[in-house]
Amino acid sequence: MTSRENMQAKVRAILERANHPNTPQAEAETALAFAFRLMQKYGLDGHKTPSRPAQLLSPIISRTFTIAGPYRVRRANMLWEIGKTISCHSYRDMAEIDPTEVVMIAFGTELDLFALDTMYRSAEMLALRLMPGGSRRFKTSWWRGFTEGIVKKLVQENRVMVKESHGAGLVLLERSERAYQAMHAFEPNLHRSVSYINNDDDAYSDGQKAGSQFSGGRSALGSKNRRLEKGAYS
């Protein structure tokens, strides 16, 4: 088994433990944070620095994420936001005509896309274990708050890792810029759309707190394991 395969197997084992329904909240959140930092550090160790010739840099590739089931638009936005913390960039494929799915096209190095996939799925599982009951408007607002809390925590983890690793900030910026350029070269007509939605302030605040506890360990996990069923919600 190669060093890359060893790292990926280790990360998967950590995340399986974090997502187990009987894992205490503090342990789950610490495991998620450790897995994120491990993937980021391995990505730094496994890539050449920006000062090396461009042909030696890990190539930027693309990956398609198909998101179905309840709150798929909110979950797709979470993937987009998490990707930006892992030197990836993505966009929604608006040519997709299936109304029950959201298709996201992500760009990044192979290791960065692996990190995006694993962290997105783990954050999604954590959300499902913490999301309270309520109306559709309440839960939609909760997802927005949760995404913001998760992203803030990942940004904090990145700052710690950059501080500990000399030159890491430049490497991450270089990979992010190459991913962004590759995305726009592939789809040059991209533009950002803005929507204005009335939030439930209490739900948004609750979600933000849940996401902010990503590595804080301040709340209790339930023992019931839930999953998103395929459905007609967006």
Side-chain angles (χ1 to χ4, degrees):
M1 184 178 289
T2 66
S3 59
R4 177 179 299 182
E5 290 171 339
N6 283 332
M7 185 278 295
Q8 293 179 342
K10 183 175 182 178
V11 167
R12 289 192 181 100
I14 293 170
L15 295 178
E16 284 177 6
R17 178 61 181 169
N19 287 324
H20 193 280
N22 294 328
T23 300
Q25 179 73 13
E27 184 178 343
E29 292 167 351
T30 300
L32 287 169
F34 176 67
F36 175 76
R37 197 178 299 180
L38 178 65
M39 286 185 288
Q40 290 292 72
K41 284 189 174 182
Y42 184 86
L44 292 175
D45 293 340
H47 292 70
K48 303 299 182 182
T49 65
S51 61
R52 300 293 181 88
Q55 63 268 27
L56 296 181
L57 297 173
S58 296
I60 300 296
I61 60 176
S62 65
R63 177 168 180 175
T64 299
F65 293 83
T66 301
I67 303 172
Y71 311 104
R72 58 187 170 275
V73 173
R74 303 279 69 79
R75 291 155 51 212
N77 183 68
M78 185 170 71
L79 182 140
W80 180 72
E81 292 281 5
I82 290 176
K84 291 187 295 181
T85 72
I86 313 179
S87 301
C88 295
H89 290 276
S90 61
Y91 69 93
R92 180 177 178 179
D93 183 4
M94 300 306 293
E96 174 56 50
I97 61 175
D98 188 341
T100 68
E101 295 179 344
V102 173
V103 176
M104 300 291 291
I105 312 297
F107 293 78
T109 67
E110 180 182 356
L111 285 176
D112 288 337
L113 289 174
F114 169 77
L116 172 58
D117 181 42
T118 52
M119 293 312 301
Y120 165 72
R121 295 180 188 279
S122 295
E124 188 175 64
M125 290 298 295
L126 181 63
L128 289 173
R129 298 170 71 176
L130 298 177
M131 182 171 61
S135 67
R136 174 172 174 73
R137 177 170 174 265
F138 182 94
K139 290 183 178 180
T140 298
S141 298
W142 188 93
W143 271 103
R144 292 194 190 97
F146 178 80
T147 296
E148 180 175 325
I150 280 285
V151 168
K152 284 185 176 180
K153 189 58 69 170
L154 293 181
V155 169
Q156 291 174 9
E157 292 292 334
N158 252 348
R159 287 173 180 167
V160 172
M161 185 270 296
V162 167
K163 187 175 181 179
E164 293 176 348
S165 304
H166 178 69
L170 289 176
V171 177
L172 294 176
L173 178 61
E174 176 273 332
R175 293 212 308 260
S176 177
E177 289 179 346
R178 286 199 295 126
Y180 184 82
Q181 292 169 3
M183 179 179 71
H184 281 272
F186 181 82
E187 186 55 74
N189 298 319
L190 291 176
H191 64 276
R192 180 82 180 271
S193 62
V194 179
S195 60
Y196 298 93
I197 303 174
N198 186 21
N199 268 328
D200 182 310
D201 291 340
D202 289 339
Y204 184 88
S205 177
D206 288 347
Q208 191 176 40
K209 289 178 182 177
S212 296
Q213 292 170 4
F214 182 69
S215 61
R218 292 188 295 273
S219 62
L221 276 176
S223 60
K224 184 178 180 181
N225 190 18
R226 295 187 287 171
R227 62 190 177 94
L228 287 173
E229 299 290 350
K230 204 168 183 179
Y233 302 100
S234 61

